[in-house]
Amino acid sequence: MHFSKMGCGNGDNKHVTVFILTVLCVGVYIYLYVDINSSLQKLEDLERSTYYHLNLILADHNRPREDKPKLLKPHYVKHTRNGSETQFFLHNYNISGPILTIFTSWSKSNETDLIRNNTVRNWSLFSPYLYPILFTNDTGLKRDVRAMGWDSLPIIHSGKGVPVLKHMYLDAMKKIESPLYAFVNGDILFTQSLLEILVSVLHSDLYQNGTVLVVGRRTNVLNVKRKTASSFQDLANVSVKIGSLFTPWGLDYFITSKTFPWRDMPDVVIGRVGYDNFLVVESNKRKIAVIDATKTLLAVHQTTKKGGNFESRKKLNKDYNINLIAKIYKKINYGMGTSNAAKYFTKYNSKSQVYIVKK
Ligand SMILES: *[C@@H]1O[C@H](CO)[C@@H](O)[C@H](O)[C@H]1NC(C)=O
Ligand SMILES: *[C@@H]1O[C@H](CO)[C@@H](O)[C@H](O)[C@H]1NC(C)=O
Ligand SMILES: *[C@@H]1O[C@H](CO)[C@@H](O)[C@H](O)[C@H]1NC(C)=O
Ligand SMILES: *[C@@H]1O[C@H](CO)[C@@H](O)[C@H](O)[C@H]1NC(C)=O
Ligand SMILES: *[C@@H]1O[C@H](CO)[C@@H](O)[C@H](O)[C@H]1NC(C)=O
Ligand SMILES: *[C@@H]1O[C@H](CO)[C@@H](O)[C@H](O)[C@H]1NC(C)=O
Ligand SMILES: *[C@@H]1O[C@H](CO)[C@@H](O)[C@H](O)[C@H]1NC(C)=O
Ligand SMILES: CC(=O)N[C@H]1CO[C@H](CO)[C@@H](O)[C@@H]1O
């Protein structure tokens, strides 16, 4: 429209104008073309990067939400709370009590005090959906976590003083009735994306007809402050700003159904390399549905300058599990035990609901 108006001068002026406009248009076209292409390229790169992954989660966090008790509404979950008695009416499921019994273990140490305290407060927030347990023999630790609404159990079975993973599950199952159980490393903080995946797992055929193991990659965040750890939104924001997705080799949470064959597992211990990847290999072998939750579950790993990453590689008896597994299984390809080896993964649908899909 503007062109013709502008071009309504004398003949020479018109040609000059058209020429200039053409040059401008080509320039803009080339600029846009290059820009769009590099944007597409960037997008492709981002898709594989932490940033994209975290923005997905953040977008989900920033979507309008109703109050906390209605959090699970999209998944047709209702609950009523009568005193300590809690009932969930979940699809055609009727669950009394927590959805997930979540447990960990740590020993006394001054350096990690703040991290542990963040974890204790964070996991408490999920009550009554989660039932947190600390495995410890230390009366002081036991008293501290109990004051924050956790339960505790003694470490009955250990290897070189470190808790045996399978017995943590078996002891937790003896103590608490819930559809799902998880050992989680003690420096991991969650947001409500944890509840969303738990509900989608319970709804899935994979869970209803079989056995599941949910694992995934964590997001390392340096020096998580107490204030940051006390809000889901802050936690999601800080993860996007300074967080980085950790390697698919390092797994920090293991959500399993009650039917997971823990009794058949070797006595691997926590906090030493190998047990995480072994579990994925073994589950795949046994046709247990391994679900990679990385795309929808924000698991914040509180990292400090001093350490927090590859800790298990620095410990005494670091090969404890590797040696134990080698005695029982002739050949184990640990490379087939990363979160990438999961046969299923989670994703958001257009309604921001968590879905489980086959790879
Ligand atoms: C829980 O308490 C409410 C009243 O506060 C009552 O209407 C409801 O029936 C109770 N539900 C159960 C399952 O007892
Ligand atoms: C749910 O289960 C509890 C016992 O576990 C039972 O008392 C209650 O009636 C059930 N509710 C429904 C709606 O099935
Ligand atoms: C922690 O620090 C206190 C004093 O600052 C000290 O008495 C205690 O032995 C330390 N504990 C550990 C496990 O290092
Ligand atoms: C952590 O919690 C314990 C017990 O609640 C308290 O004694 C300690 O001072 C806390 N440490 C930090 C760093 O907040
Ligand atoms: C913890 O205490 C129990 C007894 O309650 C004991 O059997 C077990 O050996 C202790 N564990 C460790 C690691 O000391
Ligand atoms: C699970 O079981 C139901 C009925 O028992 C069946 O309709 C469904 O196809 C099964 N799903 C899978 C994945 O096996
Ligand atoms: C988190 O980030 C979003 C978007 O970047 C912003 O709107 C929001 O205010 C931030 N929230 C907090 C608690 O920092
Ligand atoms: C991130 C998070 O869940 N923080 C919570 C930890 O627990 C305390 C107390 O239970 C809450 O105030 C925080 O919001």
Side-chain angles (χ1 to χ4, degrees):
M1 311 282 166
H2 289 107
F3 293 7
S4 52
K5 246 192 170 169
M6 282 164 72
C8 279
N10 61 47
D12 274 343
N13 259 354
K14 197 174 170 181
H15 282 120
V16 169
T17 308
V18 167
F19 177 70
I20 290 172
L21 282 173
T22 310
V23 168
L24 270 176
C25 286
V26 168
V28 168
Y29 177 76
I30 290 173
Y31 175 78
L32 282 179
Y33 181 78
V34 170
D35 195 46
I36 285 169
N37 265 324
S38 77
S39 293
L40 285 176
Q41 183 56 48
K42 268 186 212 148
L43 205 64
E44 264 174 42
D45 293 342
L46 284 178
E47 205 153 10
R48 271 175 259 115
S49 78
T50 313
Y51 187 74
Y52 177 77
H53 156 80
L54 289 171
N55 265 321
L56 252 186
I57 290 171
L58 186 67
D60 188 63
H61 277 271
N62 285 338
R63 75 175 190 247
R65 278 181 189 283
E66 295 168 79
D67 291 342
K68 192 181 145 212
K70 292 179 187 157
L71 201 73
L72 304 175
K73 200 177 163 200
H75 304 278
Y76 312 106
V77 179
K78 284 183 192 156
H79 73 273
T80 56
R81 238 190 129 167
N82 291 9
S84 60
E85 185 81 359
T86 308
Q87 296 202 343
F88 298 89
F89 301 99
L90 177 61
H91 205 39
N92 46 9
Y93 263 70
N94 174 11
I95 302 163
S96 299
I99 299 180
L100 174 72
T101 304
I102 183 171
F103 42 88
T104 190
S105 187
W106 58 63
S107 40
K108 249 192 156 64
S109 139
N110 288 343
E111 293 136 55
T112 51
D113 224 22
L114 177 64
I115 288 177
R116 304 312 190 205
N117 284 9
N118 283 342
T119 303
V120 172
R121 279 192 300 273
N122 180 255
W123 293 9
S124 295
L125 185 78
F126 293 96
S127 166
Y129 305 105
L130 262 56
Y131 190 99
I133 302 175
L134 180 70
F135 279 83
T136 183
N137 275 13
D138 185 292
T139 46
L141 285 177
K142 182 173 154 179
R143 186 196 54 227
D144 289 351
V145 299
R146 280 176 175 264
M148 289 299 297
W150 284 41
D151 204 344
S152 71
L153 281 173
I155 303 165
I156 306 288
H157 302 272
S158 58
K160 307 261 181 204
V162 187
V164 172
L165 182 70
K166 75 183 222 187
H167 287 291
M168 296 173 83
Y169 280 86
L170 295 171
D171 290 353
M173 283 178 199
K174 249 187 255 159
K175 173 103 198 227
I176 296 298
E177 179 66 34
S178 63
L180 296 166
Y181 294 83
F183 166 74
V184 179
N185 277 324
D187 39 21
I188 300 291
L189 304 178
F190 291 109
T191 68
Q192 67 266 45
S193 56
L194 175 61
L195 294 180
E196 291 169 351
I197 190 175
L198 295 180
V199 171
S200 70
V201 165
L202 292 181
H203 272 164
S204 67
D205 279 347
L206 296 174
Y207 171 80
Q208 291 183 18
N209 293 3
T211 301
V212 298
L213 166 67
V214 183
V215 295
R217 296 163 71 179
R218 73 190 196 208
T219 296
N220 289 331
V221 178
L222 194 63
N223 298 329
V224 177
K225 304 266 187 328
R226 178 168 174 170
K227 191 181 160 296
T228 310
S230 66
S231 138
F232 287 152
Q233 184 67 68
D234 279 350
L235 207 54
N237 275 10
V238 81
S239 301
V240 170
K241 279 201 202 107
I242 62 166
S244 65
L245 204 55
F246 198 52
T247 160
W249 281 84
L251 308 175
D252 291 79
Y253 56 88
F254 310 87
I255 304 168
T256 68
S257 1
K258 227 185 146 103
T259 48
F260 192 91
W262 282 111
R263 281 180 199 288
D264 302 347
M265 294 292 139
D267 283 3
V268 290
V269 299
I270 61 168
R272 303 290 181 271
V273 292
Y275 77 92
D276 47 354
N277 306 123
F278 166 79
L279 274 183
V280 172
V281 171
E282 187 62 16
S283 297
N284 275 335
K285 204 169 86 188
R286 290 168 180 258
K287 309 269 185 260
I288 289 163
V290 182
I291 303 168
D292 178 4
T294 307
K295 272 184 195 293
T296 66
L297 177 55
L298 179 59
V300 173
H301 177 259
Q302 308 175 72
T303 311
T304 58
K305 278 229 172 65
K306 266 183 142 170
N309 289 326
F310 305 110
E311 285 296 282
S312 49
R313 295 188 191 173
K314 298 169 201 156
K315 295 205 172 113
L316 269 175
N317 309 307
K318 67 181 166 59
D319 291 333
Y320 182 91
N321 289 332
I322 304 283
N323 295 338
L324 183 78
I325 291 165
K327 275 187 211 146
I328 305 168
Y329 304 83
K330 285 205 181 66
K331 236 176 27 190
I332 279 275
N333 182 355
Y334 287 97
M336 296 306 288
T338 70
S339 58
N340 294 338
K343 297 272 193 290
Y344 301 85
F345 68 99
T346 59
K347 61 184 271 191
Y348 287 115
N349 70 6
S350 56
K351 293 180 197 146
S352 288
Q353 293 167 335
V354 175
Y355 265 68
I356 300 167
V357 284
K358 203 168 172 148
K359 264 190 190 155

